[in-house]
Amino acid sequence: GSAKQEAYELLRNLGPMSCVDVVLVPREKSRKVILHLRGSGIVAPNQYWVIGGRVSKGERLEETARRKVKSEAGLDLLITEDDQLFASETIFNKDGSRHIALESDDRLVDLIHTTNVVYLGLTPSLNKLGNVLTAADGNIDWKVFDQIDESWHPYVRECVERAWERV
């Protein structure tokens, strides 16, 4: 792998990583949510997920939120401190399954442990999104949902529930 990827793996294995996630909700503020389908080779592959990623050194949380929405969805959104929904912590395996800690656990090297600040990202209305919204930076597709699917990762379900409470 590249030096950047090796450094990322080293940091990930040293302890929790600071991340920002953004729940995309169309501006109509209806009970709809836009989730991206994750590609293979990244955390939680082939699952629908919220936009998000690691906070870079020197970057403010809202800047990270805007950067990730731009890189993953192609949208320029105004995201401010007022859009913060909640803070959370996730601990799971690379495939997205729940991690069950064992007394002697040699799987810790494959453990994903993050602290997350989750934001609401109001997108343009649905009828304006079709030509603008992309799926990039590890995502292979996006889809609009109007109900929570029990097959989603519990963290994704919580993110969507909290966003819908806000709108």
Side-chain angles (χ1 to χ4, degrees):
S2 69
K4 186 175 181 181
Q5 182 63 29
E6 289 173 14
Y8 169 81
E9 292 294 327
L10 177 64
L11 285 174
R12 187 176 59 83
N13 289 326
L14 288 175
M17 292 192 344
S18 298
C19 295
V20 165
D21 289 318
V22 181
V23 185
L24 298 179
V25 174
R27 191 157 296 282
E28 294 94 340
K29 295 187 178 180
S30 56
R31 281 183 58 97
K32 295 191 184 310
V33 65
I34 300 162
L35 297 177
H36 279 70
L37 182 61
R38 317 260 304 159
S40 60
I42 59 176
V43 175
N46 306 310
Q47 296 182 45
Y48 280 99
W49 208 266
V50 293
I51 295 292
R54 184 172 44 86
V55 178
S56 296
K57 186 173 183 174
E59 186 176 48
R60 301 200 42 88
L61 296 172
E62 291 81 16
E63 292 169 340
T64 303
R66 291 189 292 269
R67 174 177 57 82
K68 293 308 295 179
V69 168
K70 179 68 173 174
S71 72
E72 292 187 32
L75 298 174
D76 288 306
L77 298 185
L78 176 62
I79 298 173
T80 68
E81 188 176 339
D82 293 337
D83 297 314
Q84 193 176 115
L85 293 171
F86 69 106
S88 183
E89 175 182 52
T90 61
I91 303 174
F92 54 87
N93 298 309
K94 277 187 179 179
D95 67 359
S97 62
R98 184 166 171 251
H99 179 74
I100 309 296
L102 305 173
E103 273 189 46
S104 168
D105 198 340
D106 58 358
R107 298 174 304 154
L108 288 178
V109 70
D110 289 327
L111 189 65
I112 306 297
H113 185 180
T114 62
T115 55
N116 313 286
V117 177
V118 182
Y119 289 87
L120 174 65
L122 290 178
T123 73
S125 61
L126 279 175
N127 61 357
K128 295 180 181 176
L129 270 181
N131 298 327
V132 180
L133 190 63
T134 61
D137 201 12
N139 298 311
I140 56 176
D141 197 10
W142 60 271
K143 185 175 176 180
V144 178
F145 294 90
D146 60 8
Q147 62 185 13
I148 291 175
D149 188 317
E150 290 305 312
S151 71
W152 295 346
H153 191 281
Y155 174 71
V156 174
R157 291 196 310 262
E158 181 179 13
C159 288
V160 173
E161 288 167 357
R162 297 278 191 109
W164 285 350
E165 286 171 7
R166 174 73 65 91
V167 298

